[in-house]
Amino acid sequence: MLSTSAFACDTIVPSQQISIHGPGKYCLSANRSLPIEISGPDIELDCRTRSIINPSPNGGGPTGIRINSGDKVIVRNCRVDGFPIGIDMNVQSNAQLLNNTVVRAQDVAIMVHGINNNDPFAEPTRIVGNRVIGYPNPNDPSSSWAPALRVVGLGRAVISNNVVAGHRGPVGLELVDSPDVQITNNQFLDPAAVDRMIRLEQSPRARVVHNTIMSRQQNVMFGLSGASGATCVENVFINTIHSGFSECAVTRYNVEQPLPPAP
């Protein structure tokens, strides 16, 4: 009874406030049309499932939530709708993106980049439970030609339980200069003409475990690419033209189900 809720809020962010600076726990009490920029360490933003909606794709700003120098920064339960870039996080250490949703991003939906911290005792960055919804609006035929998730310079990051659905770009998850990353329990559903669903570039020793790629048509060229040195276990890729499992250093119990031949 005396414990403090993990979702306790110190400050409600006013609808006209854009910048958050001081340490503390911040939250939203209503939907808003202005973006949010977080600068500084030890900041937690809990949107409480409220939406940050771009009122004008040409005038509402390039990014829904931007985090600068995020040291021990947490962003959770936010829905970002209609911004060219949904969430852009610049990480120093121990940052977290938890249970956020990005809809109708014309560029990268979620981008996390930072210094490649090789300290084995440092807390890794966590990108967990987020959703990227890429299905085009019938009244807005524009589509993204960028990765749904892009992670750069984040060794030992944890990318887990995320869902990418209806993505219209060439790559679902792009990992660059990020060794020893855990990619687990992610789902990539119903993509459209994807070149590489999971692309690893200069990111050795990745653990690719329990991920699912499922397409109604055989329109994913490579399920996985650049996986030299990776451990690939119990993934399920449905209708990928090439799974990419042959590149993995360790591969066990993966399932690849191609499209059945036409009668």
Side-chain angles (χ1 to χ4, degrees):
M1 293 177 63
L2 300 178
S3 63
T4 301
S5 170
F7 301 100
C9 180
D10 299 329
T11 305
I12 294 177
V13 181
S15 60
Q16 298 303 310
Q17 178 180 334
I18 294 177
S19 298
I20 297 175
H21 295 288
K25 293 186 176 183
Y26 298 80
C27 64
L28 301 186
S29 60
N31 296 340
R32 57 183 284 147
S33 58
L34 292 178
I36 291 177
E37 182 164 341
I38 296 173
S39 300
D42 297 301
I43 294 174
E44 177 176 343
L45 172 65
D46 184 354
C47 293
R48 295 181 170 177
T49 71
R50 310 294 198 221
S51 294
I52 302 172
I53 304 170
N54 188 356
S56 171
N58 298 319
T63 306
I65 300 176
R66 182 185 299 276
I67 301 98
N68 296 315
S69 302
D71 183 13
K72 299 181 182 178
V73 170
I74 301 173
V75 175
R76 67 168 87 232
N77 301 324
C78 297
R79 187 178 189 274
V80 182
D81 186 346
F83 286 85
I85 299 175
I87 300 174
D88 183 356
M89 174 178 272
N90 185 352
V91 173
Q92 291 295 324
S93 64
N94 192 18
Q96 299 183 65
L97 290 179
L98 308 175
N99 196 37
N100 302 288
T101 300
V102 177
V103 182
R104 296 191 302 149
Q106 290 83 48
D107 204 322
V108 182
I110 296 177
M111 180 162 54
V112 186
H113 46 91
I115 58 174
N116 212 330
N117 191 342
N118 295 318
D119 182 358
F121 301 103
E123 286 292 326
T125 295
R126 299 180 184 276
I127 305 167
V128 178
N130 303 284
R131 294 159 297 277
V132 175
I133 310 301
Y135 295 103
N137 186 325
N139 299 320
D140 179 14
S142 63
S143 60
S144 172
W145 292 103
L149 301 170
R150 190 166 198 263
V151 176
V152 180
L154 288 177
R156 301 174 54 248
V158 175
I159 305 171
S160 179
N161 294 311
N162 302 287
V163 175
V164 175
H167 182 56
R168 316 292 291 183
V171 181
L173 167 62
E174 184 175 64
L175 198 67
V176 181
D177 294 330
S178 301
D180 303 300
V181 168
Q182 298 183 43
I183 304 172
T184 59
N185 295 313
N186 301 287
Q187 297 183 55
F188 302 89
L189 308 175
D190 201 17
V194 171
D195 183 32
R196 285 159 171 76
M197 185 58 76
I198 302 174
R199 178 174 180 262
L200 309 181
E201 180 180 333
Q202 298 179 352
S203 300
R205 302 180 301 278
R207 289 182 54 82
V208 184
V209 180
H210 293 167
N211 300 283
T212 300
I213 298 173
M214 183 172 292
S215 175
R216 289 179 291 181
Q217 299 180 0
Q218 199 173 36
N219 54 8
V220 177
M221 181 61 70
F222 288 91
L224 176 66
S225 71
S228 177
T231 297
C232 305
V233 178
E234 294 187 344
N235 301 283
V236 177
F237 290 0
I238 306 297
N239 284 349
T240 55
I241 297 174
H242 304 286
S243 68
F245 294 139
S246 60
E247 299 183 35
C248 302
V250 177
T251 176
R252 293 195 301 269
Y253 311 124
N254 298 293
V255 175
E256 179 185 6
Q257 179 63 57
L259 190 71

